[in-house]
Amino acid sequence: HAVFISHQWLGSSEPDPQNIHYKAICTAVHRLCSMHGLNPNKIYVWVDYLSIPQKNAMQKRMSIDTIALYATSARFFVVVAPPALHCDKGTM
């Protein structure tokens, strides 16, 4: 089962510098498994920074352009938005 994770970036150069979203993603996926009786070992999590190539600009652009395909192909769509400040801007 694929889970598409949607989240805001909390840093300009990295998405989750203080692992705030990481913890929230883990909690959300475990709750999802409990709610739907799913085996956590059979879950595939799609997170932009990890699932989109970061070094090859062309592959990165092509992947970003097809995010909607990834999102609609996943069985579950989870929005991760815990209270958190952007590390560089100081905004929520």
Side-chain angles (χ1 to χ4, degrees):
H1 303 287
V3 180
F4 183 94
I5 303 294
S6 176
H7 66 98
Q8 79 271 23
W9 276 46
L10 297 177
S12 296
S13 61
E14 60 180 296
D16 192 19
Q18 297 174 332
N19 289 326
I20 294 168
H21 284 162
Y22 175 75
K23 293 172 190 169
I25 289 168
C26 291
T27 298
V29 171
H30 283 286
R31 285 183 184 166
L32 187 74
C33 289
S34 293
M35 289 171 54
H36 294 277
L38 303 172
N39 180 346
N41 294 321
K42 297 197 177 194
I43 295 293
Y44 298 93
V45 178
W46 192 99
V47 180
D48 61 357
Y49 190 73
L50 300 172
S51 302
I52 291 177
Q54 298 296 312
K55 293 186 180 183
N56 182 303
M58 187 169 75
Q59 288 179 343
K60 184 176 182 178
R61 173 56 31 212
M62 288 177 10
S63 295
I64 290 170
D65 289 345
T66 57
I67 282 180
L69 178 62
Y70 298 122
T72 58
S73 297
R75 179 169 179 202
F76 300 100
F77 187 102
V78 175
V79 176
V80 174
L85 291 177
H86 191 279
C87 290
D88 304 312
K89 298 177 185 174
T91 57
M92 286 196 96

